[in-house]
Amino acid sequence: MTSTSSGKWAGTYAGILAVLGIAFVFAPAYLAGGHYGGYGDNTRLVQSMRNAFIDYSGSGSAVLPDSLRTVVDYWARYHVAKAVIAALALLVLCSACRRLWASYQGRSSQGRQADSRGRTVGYVVAGVAVSLGTISAAALLMANIQGAIAPLSSAVSLLPAQRDSSLAGAIDAVRLGIATPGASPVADHLVADFARYHVVVAVLSAVFVALLGVLAVRLWRGRRPGLNGVGALSYSTRSATATATAAATLTVAAAVLVLCVANISSALEPARALSLFFAGG
């Protein structure tokens, strides 16, 4: 692959990702259609959630009041929009990773040695950037799927850190209900939703760990000698690159596994986790 063609497809990927990045930040609030304000202005959303949570806390019923249902439905649509955009970005980044790796391996048949060192550095830098972008997109996708499936627990995070007496009273009532299972339908419903909130991430992160493990194995097994002609990637260079990439992939998998275990722990003890969340305010 020539440097000109490499520049063209790299520019195309960068342009697409730039558009998706802007859309991820600015579009969801409008796509969700909640009329709570756009990027950087969530005052109405926070205030609406505060008032709705106070209403729900004192309702004595697990059924969400209309005020809270409106906020939660909006928050679900908001996360669906973000998840779709993150998924598109992840697909683009995976495609870029695959093409970059194929281009790097293809250098063995190009017969170019004069610029090999500079191009190798370029490939390394591009590989690190694309890999980090892929991991970030995957994390954003998981987080927004979580918010879309369990929007109530996600929306609770919107409650203002500065609690006035009304909000503090509502939270204290929920915490009391959490401490006495079965005594408060509101608290019981919140605990059940909080469990689902963490189960979603546990499942998604387990799938991600499995995919990373498969990728690491393929990278490890994919080591093979290059051509022996002038400018060819030597076996040691190709082997070292594949080994380093596989090791980095397993390191990321280990970090995601820690996330998985943490969420399993919270899912098994959702009452304790939710009570600690409210205590931390």
Side-chain angles (χ1 to χ4, degrees):
M1 182 178 293
T2 65
S3 58
T4 301
S5 61
S6 296
K8 286 182 178 179
W9 68 255
T12 300
Y13 280 123
I16 294 173
L17 290 171
V19 171
L20 290 173
I22 294 172
F24 184 85
V25 174
F26 295 101
Y30 298 99
L31 293 174
H35 308 294
Y36 290 110
Y39 172 75
D41 179 20
N42 65 346
T43 303
R44 279 180 288 174
L45 179 60
V46 170
Q47 187 63 28
S48 296
M49 182 60 195
R50 171 200 171 276
N51 296 338
F53 185 83
I54 292 172
D55 292 342
Y56 185 46
S57 174
S59 68
S61 171
V63 179
L64 303 187
D66 290 342
S67 58
L68 183 55
R69 173 57 60 190
T70 299
V71 175
V72 169
D73 286 348
Y74 163 79
W75 203 231
R77 295 192 301 270
Y78 178 87
H79 282 292
V80 167
K82 276 187 169 285
V84 170
I85 297 171
L88 292 174
L90 181 59
L91 289 174
V92 173
L93 284 162
C94 286
S95 176
C97 280
R98 185 171 183 176
R99 187 156 189 175
L100 186 64
W101 182 252
S103 178
Y104 175 73
Q105 288 185 311
R107 292 175 63 208
S108 61
S109 61
Q110 298 301 315
R112 295 172 181 169
Q113 192 169 17
D115 63 345
S116 60
R117 180 173 298 180
R119 292 194 68 191
T120 297
V121 172
Y123 275 112
V124 170
V125 172
V128 170
V130 174
S131 298
L132 290 176
T134 302
I135 294 169
S136 299
L140 289 172
L141 177 59
M142 288 193 295
N144 284 285
I145 290 176
Q146 179 188 36
I149 293 178
L152 175 58
S153 291
S154 180
V156 168
S157 65
L158 295 170
L159 292 174
Q162 298 299 323
R163 301 170 180 174
D164 54 32
S165 58
S166 297
L167 179 57
I171 290 176
D172 288 343
V174 169
R175 292 189 66 197
L176 181 62
I178 293 173
T180 314
S184 170
V186 171
D188 291 344
H189 183 68
L190 286 170
V191 169
D193 193 81
F194 204 63
R196 180 166 61 251
Y197 182 76
H198 287 285
V199 166
V200 171
V201 173
V203 171
L204 291 174
S205 56
V207 171
F208 193 26
V209 168
L211 292 174
L212 289 171
V214 170
L215 176 59
V217 170
R218 291 190 63 180
L219 286 168
W220 180 263
R221 290 181 176 177
R223 298 175 303 158
R224 62 184 184 275
L227 301 177
N228 292 321
V230 177
L233 285 176
S234 67
Y235 174 69
S236 60
T237 300
R238 184 187 295 276
S239 177
T241 301
T243 301
T245 306
T249 301
L250 287 176
T251 300
V252 175
V256 178
L257 183 60
V258 172
L259 174 67
C260 178
V261 171
N263 278 275
I264 290 174
S265 176
S266 295
L268 291 174
E269 295 184 287
R272 178 177 177 275
L274 183 58
S275 183
L276 288 173
F277 171 80
F278 281 128

